[in-house]
Coordinates of all heavy atoms in Angstrom, one line a residue:
M1 N -55.5 23.7 -33.2 CA -56.6 24.0 -32.2 C -57.5 22.7 -32.2 O -57.8 22.2 -33.3 CB -57.4 25.2 -32.6 CG -58.5 25.5 -31.6 SD -59.5 27.0 -31.9 CE -58.6 28.0 -33.0
S2 N -57.8 22.2 -31.0 CA -58.6 21.0 -30.9 C -60.0 21.3 -31.4 O -60.5 22.5 -31.4 CB -58.6 20.5 -29.5 OG -59.4 21.4 -28.7
E3 N -60.7 20.3 -31.8 CA -62.1 20.4 -32.2 C -63.0 20.9 -31.1 O -63.9 21.7 -31.3 CB -62.6 19.0 -32.7 CG -64.0 19.1 -33.3 CD -64.4 17.7 -33.8 OE1 -63.6 16.8 -34.0 OE2 -65.7 17.5 -33.9
R4 N -62.7 20.4 -29.9 CA -63.5 20.8 -28.7 C -63.3 22.4 -28.5 O -64.3 23.1 -28.2 CB -63.1 20.1 -27.5 CG -63.9 20.4 -26.3 CD -63.5 19.5 -25.1 NE -62.3 18.7 -25.3 CZ -62.0 17.7 -24.6 NH1 -62.7 17.3 -23.6 NH2 -60.8 17.1 -24.8
L5 N -62.1 22.9 -28.6 CA -61.9 24.3 -28.4 C -62.5 25.1 -29.5 O -63.2 26.1 -29.2 CB -60.4 24.6 -28.3 CG -59.9 26.0 -28.1 CD1 -60.5 26.5 -26.8 CD2 -58.4 26.1 -28.1
E6 N -62.4 24.6 -30.7 CA -63.1 25.3 -31.8 C -64.6 25.4 -31.6 O -65.2 26.4 -31.8 CB -62.7 24.6 -33.1 CG -63.2 25.3 -34.3 CD -62.8 24.6 -35.6 OE1 -61.6 24.1 -35.7 OE2 -63.6 24.6 -36.6
T7 N -65.2 24.3 -31.1 CA -66.6 24.2 -30.9 C -67.0 25.2 -29.8 O -68.0 25.9 -29.9 CB -67.0 22.8 -30.5 OG1 -66.8 21.9 -31.6 CG2 -68.5 22.7 -30.2
L8 N -66.2 25.3 -28.7 CA -66.5 26.2 -27.7 C -66.5 27.7 -28.2 O -67.3 28.5 -27.8 CB -65.6 26.1 -26.5 CG -65.7 24.8 -25.7 CD1 -64.5 24.5 -24.8 CD2 -67.0 24.8 -24.9
K9 N -65.5 28.0 -29.0 CA -65.3 29.3 -29.5 C -66.5 29.7 -30.4 O -67.0 30.8 -30.4 CB -64.0 29.5 -30.2 CG -62.9 29.6 -29.2 CD -61.5 29.8 -29.9 CE -60.4 30.0 -28.9 NZ -59.2 30.3 -29.5
K10 N -67.0 28.8 -31.2 CA -68.1 29.0 -32.1 C -69.4 29.2 -31.3 O -70.2 30.1 -31.6 CB -68.3 27.8 -33.1 CG -67.3 27.8 -34.2 CD -67.5 26.6 -35.1 CE -66.5 26.5 -36.2 NZ -66.8 25.4 -37.1
A11 N -69.5 28.4 -30.3 CA -70.7 28.6 -29.4 C -70.7 30.0 -28.7 O -71.7 30.7 -28.6 CB -70.7 27.5 -28.3
R12 N -69.5 30.4 -28.3 CA -69.3 31.7 -27.7 C -69.7 32.8 -28.6 O -70.4 33.8 -28.3 CB -67.9 31.9 -27.1 CG -67.7 33.2 -26.4 CD -66.3 33.4 -26.0 NE -66.1 34.5 -25.2 CZ -66.1 35.8 -25.6 NH1 -66.2 36.0 -26.9 NH2 -65.9 36.8 -24.7
D13 N -69.2 32.7 -29.9 CA -69.5 33.7 -30.9 C -71.0 33.8 -31.1 O -71.6 34.9 -31.3 CB -68.8 33.4 -32.2 CG -67.3 33.6 -32.1 OD1 -66.8 34.3 -31.2 OD2 -66.6 33.1 -33.0
R14 N -71.7 32.7 -31.2 CA -73.1 32.6 -31.4 C -73.9 33.3 -30.3 O -74.8 34.0 -30.5 CB -73.6 31.2 -31.7 CG -75.1 31.1 -31.8 CD -75.6 30.1 -32.8 NE -74.9 30.1 -34.0 CZ -74.6 28.9 -34.6 NH1 -75.0 27.8 -34.1 NH2 -74.0 28.9 -35.8
M15 N -73.4 33.0 -29.1 CA -74.1 33.6 -27.9 C -73.9 35.1 -27.8 O -74.8 35.8 -27.4 CB -73.6 32.9 -26.6 CG -74.0 31.5 -26.4 SD -75.8 31.3 -26.4 CE -76.1 30.7 -28.1
I16 N -72.8 35.6 -28.3 CA -72.5 37.0 -28.3 C -73.5 37.7 -29.3 O -74.1 38.7 -29.0 CB -71.1 37.3 -28.6 CG1 -70.2 37.0 -27.5 CG2 -70.9 38.8 -29.1 CD1 -68.7 37.1 -27.7
E17 N -73.7 37.0 -30.4 CA -74.7 37.6 -31.4 C -76.1 37.6 -30.8 O -76.8 38.6 -30.9 CB -74.7 36.7 -32.6 CG -73.5 36.8 -33.5 CD -73.5 35.8 -34.7 OE1 -74.6 35.2 -35.0 OE2 -72.4 35.7 -35.3
D18 N -76.5 36.6 -30.0 CA -77.8 36.6 -29.4 C -77.9 37.7 -28.3 O -78.9 38.3 -28.2 CB -78.1 35.2 -28.7 CG -78.4 34.1 -29.8 OD1 -78.5 34.4 -31.0 OD2 -78.5 33.0 -29.4
R19 N -76.8 37.8 -27.5 CA -76.8 38.8 -26.5 C -76.9 40.2 -27.1 O -77.6 41.1 -26.6 CB -75.5 38.7 -25.7 CG -75.4 39.7 -24.5 CD -74.0 39.8 -24.0 NE -73.1 40.3 -25.0 CZ -71.8 40.3 -24.9 NH1 -71.2 39.9 -23.8 NH2 -71.0 40.8 -25.9
D20 N -76.2 40.4 -28.2 CA -76.3 41.7 -28.8 C -77.7 42.1 -29.3 O -78.1 43.2 -29.2 CB -75.3 41.8 -30.0 CG -73.9 41.8 -29.6 OD1 -73.6 42.0 -28.4 OD2 -73.0 41.6 -30.5
A21 N -78.5 41.1 -29.8 CA -79.8 41.3 -30.2 C -80.6 41.8 -29.0 O -81.5 42.7 -29.1 CB -80.4 40.1 -30.8
H22 N -80.4 41.2 -27.8 CA -81.2 41.6 -26.6 C -80.7 43.0 -26.1 O -81.5 43.8 -25.6 CB -81.1 40.6 -25.5 CG -81.8 39.3 -25.9 ND1 -83.1 39.2 -25.9 CD2 -81.3 38.1 -26.2 CE1 -83.4 38.0 -26.3 NE2 -82.3 37.3 -26.5
A23 N -79.5 43.3 -26.3 CA -79.0 44.6 -25.9 C -79.6 45.7 -26.8 O -79.9 46.8 -26.3 CB -77.4 44.7 -26.1
K24 N -79.8 45.4 -28.1 CA -80.5 46.4 -28.9 C -81.9 46.7 -28.5 O -82.4 47.8 -28.5 CB -80.5 45.9 -30.4 CG -79.2 45.9 -31.0 CD -79.2 45.4 -32.5 CE -77.8 45.4 -33.0 NZ -77.8 44.9 -34.4
V25 N -82.6 45.6 -28.0 CA -84.0 45.8 -27.4 C -83.9 46.7 -26.2 O -84.7 47.6 -26.0 CB -84.6 44.5 -27.1 CG1 -85.9 44.7 -26.4 CG2 -84.9 43.7 -28.4
L26 N -82.9 46.5 -25.3 CA -82.7 47.3 -24.1 C -82.4 48.8 -24.4 O -82.7 49.7 -23.7 CB -81.7 46.7 -23.2 CG -82.0 45.3 -22.6 CD1 -80.8 44.7 -21.9 CD2 -83.2 45.5 -21.6
A27 N -81.7 49.0 -25.6 CA -81.3 50.3 -26.0 C -82.5 51.1 -26.7 O -82.4 52.3 -26.7 CB -80.1 50.3 -26.9
A28 N -83.5 50.4 -27.1 CA -84.6 51.0 -27.8 C -85.5 51.7 -26.8 O -85.3 51.5 -25.6 CB -85.4 49.9 -28.5
P29 N -86.5 52.5 -27.3 CA -87.4 53.1 -26.4 C -88.1 52.1 -25.5 O -88.3 50.9 -25.9 CB -88.4 53.7 -27.3 CG -87.7 54.0 -28.6 CD -86.7 52.8 -28.7
F30 N -88.3 52.4 -24.2 CA -88.7 51.5 -23.2 C -90.2 51.0 -23.4 O -91.1 51.8 -23.5 CB -88.6 52.2 -21.8 CG -88.9 51.4 -20.7 CD1 -88.1 50.4 -20.2 CD2 -90.2 51.5 -20.0 CE1 -88.4 49.6 -19.1 CE2 -90.5 50.7 -18.9 CZ -89.6 49.7 -18.5
V31 N -90.3 49.7 -23.4 CA -91.6 49.0 -23.3 C -91.4 48.0 -22.2 O -90.6 47.1 -22.3 CB -92.0 48.3 -24.7 CG1 -93.3 47.6 -24.6 CG2 -92.0 49.3 -25.8
R32 N -92.2 48.2 -21.2 CA -91.9 47.4 -19.9 C -91.8 45.9 -20.2 O -90.8 45.3 -19.8 CB -93.0 47.7 -18.9 CG -92.8 47.0 -17.6 CD -93.8 47.3 -16.5 NE -94.0 48.8 -16.3 CZ -93.2 49.5 -15.5 NH1 -92.2 48.9 -14.9 NH2 -93.4 50.8 -15.4
D33 N -92.8 45.3 -20.7 CA -92.7 43.8 -20.9 C -91.6 43.3 -21.8 O -90.9 42.4 -21.5 CB -94.0 43.3 -21.5 CG -95.2 43.4 -20.5 OD1 -94.9 43.5 -19.3 OD2 -96.4 43.4 -20.9
T34 N -91.4 44.1 -22.9 CA -90.3 43.7 -23.8 C -89.0 43.9 -23.1 O -88.1 43.0 -23.3 CB -90.4 44.6 -25.1 OG1 -91.7 44.4 -25.6 CG2 -89.3 44.1 -26.1
A35 N -88.8 45.0 -22.4 CA -87.5 45.3 -21.7 C -87.2 44.2 -20.7 O -86.1 43.8 -20.5 CB -87.5 46.7 -21.2
K36 N -88.3 43.8 -19.9 CA -88.1 42.9 -18.9 C -87.6 41.5 -19.4 O -86.6 40.9 -18.9 CB -89.4 42.7 -18.1 CG -89.2 41.7 -16.9 CD -90.5 41.6 -16.2 CE -90.4 40.6 -15.0 NZ -91.6 40.5 -14.3
R37 N -88.2 41.1 -20.5 CA -87.8 39.8 -21.2 C -86.4 39.9 -21.7 O -85.6 39.0 -21.5 CB -88.8 39.4 -22.3 CG -90.1 38.8 -21.8 CD -90.9 38.2 -22.9 NE -91.2 39.1 -24.0 CZ -92.3 39.9 -24.0 NH1 -93.1 39.9 -23.0 NH2 -92.5 40.7 -25.0
A38 N -86.1 41.0 -22.4 CA -84.8 41.3 -23.0 C -83.7 41.3 -21.9 O -82.6 40.7 -22.0 CB -84.7 42.5 -23.8
R39 N -84.0 41.9 -20.8 CA -83.1 42.0 -19.7 C -82.8 40.6 -19.1 O -81.6 40.2 -18.9 CB -83.6 42.9 -18.6 CG -82.6 43.1 -17.4 CD -83.1 44.1 -16.4 NE -84.4 43.7 -15.8 CZ -85.6 44.4 -15.9 NH1 -85.6 45.5 -16.6 NH2 -86.7 43.9 -15.4
N40 N -83.8 39.8 -18.9 CA -83.6 38.5 -18.3 C -82.8 37.6 -19.3 O -81.9 36.9 -18.9 CB -85.0 37.8 -18.0 CG -85.7 38.5 -16.9 OD1 -85.1 39.1 -16.0 ND2 -87.0 38.4 -16.8
K41 N -83.1 37.7 -20.6 CA -82.4 36.9 -21.5 C -80.9 37.4 -21.6 O -80.0 36.6 -21.8 CB -83.1 36.9 -22.9 CG -84.4 36.2 -23.0 CD -84.2 34.7 -22.7 CE -83.4 34.0 -23.8 NZ -83.3 32.5 -23.6
F42 N -80.7 38.7 -21.6 CA -79.4 39.2 -21.6 C -78.5 38.6 -20.5 O -77.4 38.2 -20.7 CB -79.4 40.7 -21.6 CG -78.1 41.4 -21.7 CD1 -77.6 41.8 -22.9 CD2 -77.3 41.6 -20.6 CE1 -76.3 42.4 -23.0 CE2 -76.0 42.2 -20.6 CZ -75.5 42.5 -21.9
V43 N -79.1 38.7 -19.3 CA -78.4 38.2 -18.1 C -78.1 36.7 -18.2 O -77.0 36.2 -18.0 CB -79.1 38.5 -16.8 CG1 -78.5 37.8 -15.6 CG2 -79.2 40.0 -16.6
E44 N -79.1 36.0 -18.7 CA -79.0 34.5 -18.9 C -77.9 34.2 -19.9 O -77.0 33.3 -19.7 CB -80.3 33.9 -19.3 CG -80.3 32.5 -19.6 CD -81.6 32.0 -20.2 OE1 -82.7 32.5 -19.8 OE2 -81.7 31.1 -21.1
I45 N -77.9 34.9 -21.0 CA -76.9 34.6 -22.1 C -75.5 35.0 -21.6 O -74.5 34.4 -21.9 CB -77.3 35.3 -23.4 CG1 -78.5 34.7 -23.9 CG2 -76.2 35.3 -24.4 CD1 -79.2 35.5 -25.1
Q46 N -75.4 36.2 -20.8 CA -74.1 36.6 -20.4 C -73.5 35.5 -19.4 O -72.3 35.3 -19.4 CB -74.2 38.0 -19.7 CG -72.8 38.5 -19.2 CD -71.9 38.6 -20.4 OE1 -72.2 39.3 -21.4 NE2 -70.6 38.2 -20.2
A47 N -74.3 34.9 -18.6 CA -73.9 33.9 -17.7 C -73.3 32.7 -18.5 O -72.3 32.1 -18.2 CB -75.0 33.4 -16.8
L48 N -74.0 32.4 -19.6 CA -73.6 31.3 -20.5 C -72.2 31.7 -21.1 O -71.3 30.9 -21.3 CB -74.6 31.0 -21.5 CG -74.3 29.9 -22.5 CD1 -73.9 28.6 -21.9 CD2 -75.5 29.7 -23.5
I49 N -72.1 32.9 -21.6 CA -70.8 33.4 -22.2 C -69.7 33.3 -21.2 O -68.6 32.8 -21.5 CB -71.0 34.8 -22.7 CG1 -71.9 34.8 -24.0 CG2 -69.6 35.4 -23.1 CD1 -72.3 36.2 -24.4
D50 N -70.0 33.7 -19.9 CA -68.9 33.5 -18.9 C -68.5 32.1 -18.7 O -67.3 31.8 -18.5 CB -69.4 34.1 -17.6 CG -69.6 35.7 -17.7 OD1 -69.1 36.3 -18.6 OD2 -70.3 36.2 -16.8
A51 N -69.5 31.2 -18.7 CA -69.2 29.8 -18.5 C -68.4 29.3 -19.7 O -67.5 28.5 -19.6 CB -70.5 29.0 -18.4
L52 N -68.7 29.7 -20.9 CA -67.9 29.3 -22.1 C -66.5 29.8 -22.0 O -65.6 29.1 -22.4 CB -68.7 29.8 -23.4 CG -69.9 29.0 -23.8 CD1 -70.7 29.8 -24.8 CD2 -69.6 27.7 -24.3
D53 N -66.4 31.1 -21.5 CA -65.0 31.6 -21.4 C -64.2 30.8 -20.4 O -63.0 30.5 -20.7 CB -65.1 33.0 -20.8 CG -65.5 34.1 -21.9 OD1 -65.4 33.8 -23.1 OD2 -65.9 35.2 -21.5
R54 N -64.8 30.3 -19.3 CA -64.1 29.5 -18.4 C -63.7 28.1 -19.0 O -62.6 27.6 -18.8 CB -64.9 29.2 -17.1 CG -65.0 30.5 -16.2 CD -65.7 30.1 -14.9 NE -67.0 29.5 -15.0 CZ -68.2 30.1 -15.1 NH1 -68.2 31.5 -15.1 NH2 -69.3 29.5 -15.1
A55 N -64.7 27.6 -19.8 CA -64.4 26.3 -20.5 C -63.2 26.5 -21.5 O -62.4 25.6 -21.6 CB -65.6 25.8 -21.2
I56 N -63.3 27.6 -22.2 CA -62.2 27.9 -23.2 C -60.9 28.0 -22.5 O -59.8 27.4 -22.9 CB -62.5 29.1 -24.0 CG1 -63.7 28.8 -25.0 CG2 -61.3 29.6 -24.8 CD1 -64.3 30.1 -25.6
R57 N -60.8 28.7 -21.4 CA -59.5 28.8 -20.6 C -59.1 27.4 -20.1 O -57.9 27.1 -20.0 CB -59.7 29.7 -19.4 CG -59.7 31.2 -19.8 CD -59.5 32.1 -18.6 NE -60.5 31.9 -17.6 CZ -61.7 32.5 -17.5 NH1 -62.0 33.4 -18.5 NH2 -62.5 32.3 -16.6
G58 N -60.1 26.6 -19.7 CA -59.8 25.2 -19.3 C -59.2 24.3 -20.4 O -58.5 23.4 -20.1
E59 N -59.4 24.7 -21.6 CA -58.9 23.9 -22.7 C -57.5 24.4 -23.1 O -56.8 23.7 -23.8 CB -59.8 24.0 -24.0 CG -61.1 23.3 -23.8 CD -60.9 21.8 -23.7 OE1 -60.1 21.2 -24.5 OE2 -61.6 21.2 -22.9
S60 N -57.1 25.5 -22.6 CA -55.7 26.0 -23.0 C -54.7 25.2 -22.3 O -54.8 24.8 -21.1 CB -55.6 27.5 -22.5 OG -56.6 28.3 -23.2
P61 N -53.6 24.9 -23.0 CA -52.5 24.1 -22.4 C -51.9 24.9 -21.2 O -51.7 26.1 -21.2 CB -51.5 24.0 -23.5 CG -51.8 25.0 -24.6 CD -53.3 25.4 -24.3
V62 N -51.7 24.1 -20.2 CA -51.0 24.7 -19.0 C -49.6 24.3 -19.0 O -49.2 23.2 -19.1 CB -51.7 24.0 -17.7 CG1 -51.1 24.6 -16.4 CG2 -53.2 24.3 -17.7
P63 N -48.7 25.4 -18.8 CA -47.3 25.1 -18.8 C -46.9 24.2 -17.6 O -47.4 24.4 -16.5 CB -46.6 26.5 -18.7 CG -47.7 27.4 -18.3 CD -49.0 26.7 -18.6
I64 N -46.0 23.3 -17.9 CA -45.5 22.4 -16.8 C -44.3 23.0 -16.1 O -43.4 23.4 -16.8 CB -45.1 21.0 -17.4 CG1 -46.4 20.4 -18.1 CG2 -44.6 20.1 -16.3 CD1 -46.1 19.1 -18.9
K65 N -44.4 23.1 -14.8 CA -43.3 23.6 -14.0 C -42.4 22.5 -13.6 O -42.8 21.4 -13.2 CB -43.8 24.3 -12.8 CG -44.6 25.6 -13.1 CD -45.0 26.3 -11.8 CE -45.8 27.6 -12.2 NZ -46.1 28.3 -11.0
N66 N -41.1 22.8 -13.7 CA -40.1 21.8 -13.2 C -39.6 22.0 -11.8 O -39.6 23.0 -11.3 CB -38.9 21.8 -14.2 CG -39.3 21.2 -15.5 OD1 -40.2 20.4 -15.6 ND2 -38.6 21.7 -16.6

């Protein structure tokens, strides 16, 4: 596995941990200000995870057609 691909996967794992922390806040009893911040961060982090997924797929070898 290339160093770049490994780095992308580690970044994705770290972002999932961060996203999970915000999900726990969203699952807790509702506090308007806290929930709003957690929701915004959750969406922001999920967009980053999606971008990392695309980058990881972009690093995968593409089979050559003859």
